[in-house]
Amino acid sequence: MKTERSEKLFKEAVKMIPGGVNSPVRAFGSVGMTPRFIASAEGAYMTDADGNRYLDYVGSWGPMILGHANEMVLEKVAEACKKGLSFGAATEAEVDMARLICDMVPSIEMVRMVNSGTEAVMSAVRAARGYTGRNKIIKFEGCYHGHSDAMLVKAGSGVMTAGVPDSSGVPAGATEDTLLAVYNDLAGVEKLFDSWGKEIAAVIVEPVGANMGVVPPKEGFLKGLRKLCTENGSLLIFDEVITGFRLAKAGAQEYFDVQSDLTTYGKIIGGGMPVGAYGGRKEVMEVVSPVGKVYQAGTLSGNPVAMAAGLAQLQYLNGHPEVYAHLNALGEMLYGGMEKMCKDLQLPYQVNHVGSLGSLFFTDQPVVDYTSAKTSDTKKFAEYFRYMLENGVYIAASQFEAMFISDAHTDEEIQHTLNIMHNYFEK
Ligand SMILES: *Cc1c(COP(=O)(O)O)cnc(C)c1O
C-alpha cells in the first residue's frame, strides 16, 4: 500500500498543527503509525490522498449513518448554500429541525441547537444546574461527554488512548462538583445519592458506553438510574451523541425503554456538519435564555447549511424505519460473526455490541466498565489494526472506540470484513 502522500502531508501537518491533527482521535500514534489523509468518501468507502480505498467502520465517528456523500443530503446542502451560508437570524429550517426532533423523540418537548456534542453537554449540564438549583453532577468513568472542563474526569477513549486519566489545564475547582461512579454499578450510584442526595443536579450517562469501547448497560442499570433520579429530584441526562438516531429513531431511550429528562445530541444530528443539540421537557428547557436565567448562546447555532444536512438525514431516518432493521441486522452479522470466530479459533477475546455499534476487546475478562476495558492488550490491538488497515478495512485507531456500521454497508462487505479478520487471527 502506497502511503507517500499521506506521510508527506503528515510531516507538514505536525509542524503547524499539534500532533498534526485537529482532534486527537485522528492520530495513529497509539498504533505506531501516521494517519492516512482522506481525500474523498462515498457510501461505505473512503479514499486517501494516495488513492488507497478503505471499507470504513468509523463513519466520521457516527454521523455518516446513511453512508458517505449521500446524494440526497448533498443536494439539500447545495440548495441551502445557494441561499447564503449564514444569517445570524431565525430561519424556517430551525423550526423544521425542532419539530422533527420533538416528533422523533417523545421525551423532548423543546430543543436548542448548538454546534457540537461538547457544547450540547456543557449546556445541558448548566440547564440541569439552573433548573434544580444544585451543583453536583454524577458522571461515569470511561464515559466521554466532550471536552468541557467539568466533564474531563476519566473521560474515556481519547484520553485513555493517550494514556492519561485526566487532562492537564483543568483547574481542580472545575471538577470538584463532578462525582465519579462506575459504569453498570448501580449500588455505587446509590451510595453517592446517600451521601450527596439533595445536592445532585443530574446524572449524566452514555446509555450505551461507546467511548471506552462499546460497553452495554446491564439489565436494570438505566432503569435504576431513572428511579434514583426521580426519587432524589435530580435530572437524568442521556448523552445520546452516539446512540441518538442510531439504535432507533428515539435512540437508546427507545431501545431500552427508559426516559431521560434531558438528552444531548451531536454527530448523526448534523449529517456530517458540525451540529449538536440538547432538549427535554418544556419546564426544564424553559430555564434557558432568553426565556429563563441560564445563559447559552451561539453565533452559528442553527446554521442554515448545517440544518439542511441534518434535516435531510433525520427526515430520511424518520421516514425509513427499515434503516434500523438493516443496521441491526448488519450488526448482528458482523459482531455475531466475530463472536463465532473467537469461539472457533479459541480466541479469549470479548465482543461487545448493541445494534450497529460494537467492539472487539483484546482481553479475556468480560468488559463491563472502565477498569475491565483497560485490561485490554493495546499492543495486540495495534497489530490487528495495522493488518486491517493494510487490507483495506478502516477502523478507529484505538482499542477504546466503537465500530460504526452505516446503511450503505452490505452483507457482502460485512462478510469480506469477517474474512479479513479470520485471515488475521488464523495466522
Ligand atoms: C463525540 C461525543 C461527544 C462530543 O461531541 P463533539 O461533537 O466531538 O464535541 C459527547 N458525548 C459523546 C457520547 C460523544 O461520543
Side-chain angles (χ1 to χ4, degrees):
M1 203 174 252
K2 215 179 82 189
T3 58
E4 281 162 27
R5 181 103 190 115
S6 277
E7 271 159 41
K8 186 163 171 282
L9 286 169
F10 187 64
K11 262 197 199 132
E12 282 284 297
V14 288
K15 288 185 210 154
M16 299 165 290
I17 306 171
V21 289
N22 279 314
S23 190
V25 297
R26 296 176 202 168
F28 278 23
S30 72
V31 291
M33 298 175 83
T34 56
R36 301 289 153 89
F37 282 64
I38 303 302
S40 67
E42 198 181 356
Y45 292 89
M46 296 204 295
T47 303
D48 73 13
D50 291 283
N52 302 306
R53 195 160 174 260
Y54 306 94
L55 178 53
D56 179 26
Y57 286 100
V58 178
S60 190
W61 308 92
M64 312 323 291
I65 191 166
L66 298 180
H68 291 283
N70 180 282
E71 201 66 43
M72 174 264 314
V73 175
L74 292 186
E75 255 172 48
K76 294 285 184 193
V77 170
E79 248 173 60
C81 281
K82 285 184 199 138
K83 295 177 187 164
L85 296 186
S86 178
F87 316 120
T91 60
E92 187 168 339
E94 292 164 88
V95 184
D96 292 341
M97 181 60 120
R99 189 187 301 114
L100 184 58
I101 295 169
C102 294
D103 273 358
M104 290 176 84
V105 188
S107 74
I108 296 186
E109 293 171 345
M110 268 192 164
V111 61
R112 174 60 69 79
M113 303 309 297
V114 292
N115 305 288
S116 68
T118 295
E119 262 189 76
V121 169
M122 193 176 77
S123 311
V125 166
R126 187 178 302 150
R129 286 173 164 158
Y131 176 77
T132 57
R134 305 172 179 182
N135 288 336
K136 303 258 180 246
I137 300 288
I138 295 180
K139 97 167 264 297
F140 295 90
E141 293 179 2
C143 282
Y144 181 61
H145 301 295
H147 67 276
S148 72
D149 283 355
M151 292 296 122
L152 276 185
V153 196
K154 297 229 170 132
S157 53
V159 267
M160 279 170 97
T161 307
V164 290
D166 302 318
S167 170
S168 115
V170 175
T175 56
E176 73 185 9
D177 288 318
T178 308
L179 305 171
L180 269 188
V182 172
Y183 200 82
N184 275 325
D185 175 19
L186 200 55
V189 180
E190 239 168 67
K191 275 206 194 109
L192 287 176
F193 270 106
D194 285 345
S195 311
W196 301 98
K198 302 298 175 215
E199 288 181 58
I200 296 170
V203 174
I204 183 162
V205 66
E206 286 183 73
V208 173
N211 283 288
M212 46 183 155
V214 171
V215 178
K218 281 187 182 161
E219 182 74 41
F221 177 60
L222 297 175
K223 288 204 163 80
L225 294 180
R226 173 67 279 169
K227 187 158 171 280
L228 282 171
C229 285
T230 305
E231 284 169 2
N232 289 279
S234 309
L235 298 184
L236 179 60
I237 306 175
F238 277 173
D239 182 348
E240 297 226 40
V241 168
I242 284 185
T243 53
F245 313 108
R246 173 171 290 276
L247 295 187
K249 259 192 217 183
Q253 46 199 278
E254 176 181 337
Y255 194 91
F256 297 104
D257 190 25
V258 181
Q259 302 276 294
S260 52
D261 298 299
L262 285 171
T263 307
T264 56
Y265 294 108
K267 300 188 172 121
I268 289 179
I269 204 170
M273 300 293 274
V275 180
Y278 66 106
R281 291 204 312 276
K282 186 164 186 262
E283 54 158 344
V284 180
M285 288 303 290
E286 281 192 332
V287 300
V288 176
S289 182
V291 185
K293 291 186 176 144
V294 171
Y295 194 71
Q296 185 269 307
T299 301
L300 292 174
S301 293
N303 171 274
V305 182
M307 289 304 98
L311 255 177
Q313 181 157 274
L314 289 191
Q315 275 164 345
Y316 186 86
L317 292 170
N318 192 34
H320 296 81
E322 73 275 11
V323 170
Y324 293 107
H326 184 223
L327 287 169
N328 292 341
L330 292 176
E332 200 46 57
M333 185 178 174
L334 178 61
Y335 307 123
M338 287 160 68
E339 281 169 336
K340 183 167 180 303
M341 176 187 73
C342 287
K343 211 164 150 216
D344 291 351
L345 299 176
Q346 293 181 319
L347 305 169
Y349 307 142
Q350 312 297 314
V351 183
N352 279 3
H353 59 107
V354 178
S356 56
L357 298 167
S359 290
L360 172 63
F361 291 98
F362 288 79
T363 174
D364 57 7
Q365 295 182 35
V367 175
V368 296
D369 57 18
Y370 178 76
T371 305
S372 46
K374 282 207 308 183
T375 63
S376 302
D377 186 335
T378 52
K379 282 211 183 76
K380 276 197 180 136
F381 172 84
E383 208 181 282
Y384 157 77
F385 170 85
R386 284 194 290 271
Y387 184 89
M388 297 305 284
L389 191 73
E390 292 297 326
N391 285 279
V393 178
Y394 191 97
I395 58 176
S398 164
Q399 167 72 88
F400 306 112
E401 302 283 1
M403 288 177 84
F404 297 89
I405 301 173
S406 84
D407 194 43
H409 287 73
T410 63
D411 288 6
E412 289 70 36
E413 283 151 350
I414 300 287
Q415 191 53 55
H416 174 70
T417 307
L418 286 168
N419 293 345
I420 292 174
M421 284 180 186
H422 198 273
N423 293 344
Y424 173 71
F425 286 111
E426 216 177 22
K427 72 166 175 44

